Amino acid sequence: MSNPEAVVAADNHWMRHALALADRAEHEDDEIPVGAVLVSAAGEILGEGWNRNITEHDPTAHAEIVAMRQAGRRLGNHRLLGSTLYITLEPCAMCAMAMVHARIVRVVFGAFDPKTGAAGSVFDLLADPRHNHRVEVTGGVLGEEAGSRLTAYFRRKRGKPVAGQGSI
């Protein structure tokens, strides 16, 4: 997709899909609202997921790992060549390295993670020249919306007023 407007439209479309998955994480499983969808070069969903680490008692069950596992099973391959991964939150180091190993072409994320982000905020593992594969990164797509959902989730968990809901 070389048309910049088409790329932006596709990024927004798939990020909205990832945000809907993040809603499922929160409302179905009471997990941190992070969603991910892996899309082929042809625009087909290969895998999708949301955070499941608490529900599955699995520290590796982050949204993007769940989506990549699903895609790998579907394709019958651990290499996810030509795919783009859309995630509502900047990936951590574990997830970023899984993306490198899977040979994902592009990662698009919503909110930046200033504490553990590995796509430029704290680390830049996806573009590290020492790897034999580098992943193109686009950050901040619908980032305010993704970030505000995460902030609201943690405020509710900590019993603090959520902005716009009668804060004192």
Side-chain angles (χ1 to χ4, degrees):
M1 222 187 290
S2 58
N3 178 346
E5 292 85 21
V7 171
V8 169
D11 287 354
N12 285 323
H13 168 78
W14 291 117
M15 189 58 68
R16 291 234 171 266
H17 186 91
L19 285 164
L21 295 168
D23 286 343
R24 290 185 69 181
E26 181 175 2
H27 300 297
E28 292 179 25
D29 297 322
D30 196 27
E31 294 267 2
I32 297 170
V34 178
V37 59
L38 186 70
V39 180
S40 74
E44 176 185 11
I45 294 176
L46 299 174
E48 60 184 21
W50 56 86
N51 274 8
R52 309 255 325 136
N53 50 309
I54 297 168
T55 303
E56 293 184 7
H57 313 290
D58 179 354
T60 69
H62 290 190
E64 49 269 65
I65 298 292
V66 172
M68 287 188 286
R69 284 179 180 156
Q70 189 179 88
R73 284 190 300 271
R74 179 171 181 204
L75 296 173
N77 197 335
H78 67 289
R79 300 284 192 230
L80 306 172
L81 304 173
S83 62
T84 298
L85 185 57
Y86 295 88
I87 318 150
T88 58
L89 178 64
E90 181 179 3
C92 70
M94 172 186 70
C95 294
M97 288 311 301
M99 293 167 203
V100 169
H101 291 296
R103 304 297 192 266
I104 289 174
V105 170
R106 186 168 175 249
V107 168
V108 179
F109 68 85
F112 287 87
D113 185 346
K115 292 183 180 178
T116 64
S121 289
V122 179
F123 310 104
D124 198 1
L125 295 176
L126 296 174
D128 193 310
R130 293 171 289 188
H131 300 308
N132 62 352
H133 175 75
R134 279 166 288 297
V135 181
E136 179 187 336
V137 176
T138 302
V141 174
L142 302 180
E144 275 189 43
E145 185 174 342
S148 66
R149 288 175 190 216
L150 287 160
T151 299
Y153 172 83
F154 285 114
R155 288 185 75 77
R156 280 191 297 276
K157 284 291 186 187
R158 294 175 181 132
K160 296 180 180 176
V162 177
Q165 294 185 355
S167 26
I168 300 172

